[in-house]
Amino acid sequence: VLCSFLFSFFYYNTSYQIMAPIEVSATVAATPETIWIACFEHMKWDAWDPDVLAVEDISGGCENGTTCIFNMKDGNKIPITLSNVEKNKSLNFAGGGLGGLLSAVGKVVITPVDASNSKIDYSFELTGFVGYIFGVIKKKEVLHGTEHGLANMVKISEEAQSKK
């Protein structure tokens, strides 16, 4: 009875936030423009996200409504849609599967600190019944992936800025 209740609750409440977003930030020795070009403009999530093997079937540039498939290193393929895209400032990427039982949302905000430094705020969360289970079982891995993704953004952006 308890399992049936939990399944029904999560199945019919798939927008219910199960896992608090993981939020990480870093100051980067790069301008917002450099960060944008190095990490997002060319839809190269696989360059900085440690869990993404490749980005496939990209419908357009880094803009609102663009869709693509994240080919994950674990073999899963996750349809993604971009929203809240403001060049050099912010973007959200969201997707999922299993009829809404698993959803993932990533948010990036880039803020200038001064003429040569910026701050990146990156958050990631899992929702839905399967998202809850995955988040509980693999909490360390999700945290590590988010932290590693931010560290890669910093590295890629600083390397690109040093070449200017």
Side-chain angles (χ1 to χ4, degrees):
V1 174
L2 179 60
C3 288
S4 177
F5 168 77
L6 288 173
F7 178 79
S8 296
F9 176 79
F10 287 119
Y11 182 78
Y12 293 108
N13 293 287
T14 56
S15 64
Y16 183 80
Q17 183 176 334
I18 304 296
M19 181 179 135
I22 295 170
E23 299 175 342
V24 293
S25 299
T27 300
V28 187
T31 64
E33 295 80 13
T34 300
I35 296 166
W36 191 263
I37 291 167
C39 297
F40 306 109
E41 187 170 78
H42 303 290
M43 300 290 292
K44 292 301 229 170
W45 264 255
D46 49 318
W48 61 265
D49 189 316
D51 298 314
V52 177
L53 181 64
V55 181
E56 304 171 342
D57 300 328
I58 302 169
S59 70
C62 190
E63 57 195 32
N64 286 317
T66 293
T67 60
C68 61
I69 305 291
F70 281 5
N71 184 354
M72 307 302 286
K73 289 184 179 173
D74 67 6
N76 287 310
K77 293 186 179 235
I78 303 184
I80 297 292
T81 302
L82 301 184
S83 63
N84 193 36
V85 179
E86 291 186 56
K87 186 175 181 178
N88 304 327
K89 293 182 180 180
S90 67
L91 66 85
N92 295 353
F93 57 97
L98 302 175
L101 294 175
L102 171 63
S103 298
V105 178
K107 297 178 182 181
V108 178
V109 176
I110 305 166
T111 310
V113 173
D114 57 35
S116 58
N117 295 287
S118 305
K119 180 181 178 193
I120 300 175
D121 294 303
Y122 176 40
S123 69
F124 182 80
E125 68 181 306
L126 296 172
T127 61
F129 183 70
V130 174
Y132 170 76
I133 293 169
F134 187 82
V136 169
I137 294 171
K138 299 282 191 177
K139 186 173 185 171
K140 280 185 178 181
E141 289 86 346
V142 175
L143 175 61
H144 178 263
T146 306
E147 291 172 338
H148 194 166
L150 177 64
N152 287 340
M153 284 185 235
V154 170
K155 180 181 177 194
I156 291 166
S157 299
E158 290 180 345
E159 287 173 356
Q161 189 69 47
S162 71
K163 294 177 183 177
K164 290 188 170 198

